[in-house]
């Protein structure tokens, strides 16, 4: 599961999903440092609409466990 860069607080899956939908990042519930989904070393994610049945379900279930957090905004321009 993803952890805060500053305090190593383990984020809950629900908070990671909310963070992934936020353009401005989200504060860590523990230390209040702003965190973003890290895109370093990853290719842009394919939209769920292009994924089929079981692959989409697996993506939804495992996304919070595969995510990493960053204290810098790395949005794709």
């Amino acid at each position: 599961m993803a952890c805060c860069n500053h305090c190593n607080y383990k984020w809950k899956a629900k908070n990671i999903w909310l963070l992934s939908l936020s353009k401005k990042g989200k504060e860590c519930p523990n230390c209040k440092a702003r965190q973003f989904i890290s895109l370093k070393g990853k290719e842009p994610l394919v939209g769920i609409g292009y994924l089929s049945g079981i692959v989409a379900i697996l993506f939804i279930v495992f996304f919070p466990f595969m995510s990493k957090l960053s204290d810098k905004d790395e949005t794709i321009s």
Side-chain angles (χ1 to χ4, degrees), residues 9-36:
Y9 175 78
K10 255 188 194 180
W11 283 46
K12 293 180 172 46
K14 176 186 171 186
N15 288 335
I16 296 171
W17 273 108
L18 292 173
L19 176 62
S20 71
L21 299 173
S22 172
K23 291 183 181 180
K24 297 180 183 178
K26 191 170 163 68
E27 286 185 351
C28 172
N30 190 44
C31 71
K32 306 299 182 206
R34 188 152 301 274
Q35 299 290 295
F36 302 88

Side-chain angles (χ1 to χ4, degrees), residues 39-71:
L39 299 175
K40 244 182 200 174
K42 301 205 191 263
E43 296 182 26
L45 297 173
V46 177
I48 292 177
Y50 291 102
L51 300 174
S52 63
I54 191 74
V55 176
I57 291 170
L58 289 174
F59 177 78
I60 289 169
V61 170
F62 289 108
F63 175 76
F65 297 99
M66 299 181 317
S67 299
K68 294 197 181 206
L69 302 181
S70 169
D71 54 356

